[in-house]
Amino acid sequence: MKTNDLILQTVSKIILFVIILFSIHLFFAGHYHPGGGFVGGLMTSGAIVLLLLAFDIKTVGKILPVDYKKLIGIGLLFSVGTGLGALVVDLPFLTHVFGYVNLPILGKTSLHTAVLFDTGVFLLVIGVTMTIIQTIGESE
Amino acid sequence: MIEIVRVIVGCCVVTGALLSLVTAFGLIRLPDVYTRNHAASKSATMGVMLVLLGAFLYFYTEEGYADARLILAISFIFLTSPVAGHLISRAAYNSGVKLWGHSVQDDLREHRLVQNSKEHLPACEPREADTKSQP
């Protein structure tokens, strides 16, 4: 019997934006509020899992042509790279820099290299979660 | 002004809690999956939304802090909870959970019977509830 998934698909298309927006908020608010790379990454992968529930695995692969195993590598590179960047300027490994920068549109913004480390965690968590779920989902 | 808002906040939270209690009573007392789902997906949604609205109003008036995440949560629950109820109900129907014995109407079953006879498929088995409820 053919099932009609119109309600689920329509609602998940709308809800997807809410979840991804909230995960980005969690990611960027991590320095001053509860949140950070781990929760943000988990929530982004939750949004992709919602897409996987509403559509099949091939459609999602077409919408997001991402190799999640490579995403793990990119995330690790980000994290190790921020650590090695401190070595270049003769500081101990994983030393972070904090400062206020005047950006053209955003104005005075506080930037921290820990955000780059967090980006690594973010990408790594998405990569690991999606690899686990897709591997389990694909096996017959 | 602030006292009026306090009363409104109190009303929101208490009404929301009462609606959640009504949901719990409905889950215990109603006879089958579909009626229970009806109780759970409607009044629990409204109850949680009212509690969140009360929390939003409280933090907005007392602390002067408009928490956009609460507004987002209200709209999120408003969108997703009925869909969850719909999916649970449909899954229950498709896996053959019986209706309550006193139910008199099952339009989806009649629709499926008509469709199956059009496609020359074997009709689904008659249900106990059907034979009981026939006038």
Side-chain angles (χ1 to χ4, degrees), chain B residues 37-58:
Chain B
N37 201 343
H38 155 84
S41 58
K42 281 193 184 66
S43 55
T45 311
M46 192 67 194
V48 172
M49 278 166 66
L50 278 176
V51 170
L52 286 177
L53 187 69
F56 174 78
L57 284 176
Y58 175 81

Side-chain angles (χ1 to χ4, degrees), chain B residues 46-93:
Chain B
M46 192 67 194
V48 172
M49 278 166 66
L50 278 176
V51 170
L52 286 177
L53 187 69
F56 174 78
L57 284 176
Y58 175 81
F59 282 111
Y60 186 57
T61 51
E62 302 277 322
E63 319 265 330
Y65 172 56
D67 198 346
R69 285 176 294 180
L70 284 171
I71 297 289
L72 204 65
I74 290 173
S75 55
F76 187 85
I77 285 167
F78 185 60
L79 277 174
T80 51
S81 166
V83 178
H86 157 76
L87 288 173
I88 292 169
S89 247
R90 197 180 64 168
Y93 193 90

Side-chain angles (χ1 to χ4, degrees), chain A residues 52-133:
Chain A
L52 281 173
L53 284 176
F55 302 93
D56 55 346
I57 206 162
K58 275 179 192 160
T59 321
V60 179
K62 215 177 280 173
I63 299 167
L64 292 168
V66 183
D67 187 358
Y68 293 106
K69 288 181 222 64
K70 279 178 192 160
L71 213 59
I72 300 175
I74 295 169
L76 280 174
L77 273 182
F78 259 100
S79 297
V80 176
T82 45
L84 290 178
L87 286 181
V88 173
V89 288
D90 231 11
L91 284 167
F93 184 59
L94 278 176
T95 309
H96 287 288
V97 187
F98 175 79
Y100 290 96
V101 185
N102 271 312
L103 291 177
I105 303 166
L106 298 168
K108 191 181 170 194
T109 319
S110 60
L111 291 181
H112 201 299
T113 49
V115 177
L116 292 174
F117 186 82
D118 236 17
T119 312
V121 176
F122 183 77
L123 294 176
L124 185 115
V125 168
I126 294 176
V128 169
T129 318
M130 293 317 296
T131 309
I132 292 171
I133 286 167

Side-chain angles (χ1 to χ4, degrees), chain A residues 1 3-8 11 14-15 18-19 21-22 25-26 33-34, chain B residues 65 69 72-73 75-77 79-80 82-83 86-87 90 94 112 115-116:
Chain A
M1 191 191 67
T3 51
N4 185 357
D5 279 338
L6 186 68
I7 296 177
L8 176 62
V11 168
I14 301 166
I15 285 301
V18 179
I19 301 175
L21 209 68
F22 188 60
H25 163 76
L26 277 179
H33 299 285
Chain B
Y65 172 56
R69 285 176 294 180
L72 204 65
S75 55
F76 187 85
I77 285 167
L79 277 174
T80 51
V83 178
H86 157 76
L87 288 173
R90 197 180 64 168
N94 284 344
R112 289 225 174 125
Q115 268 201 333
N116 285 353

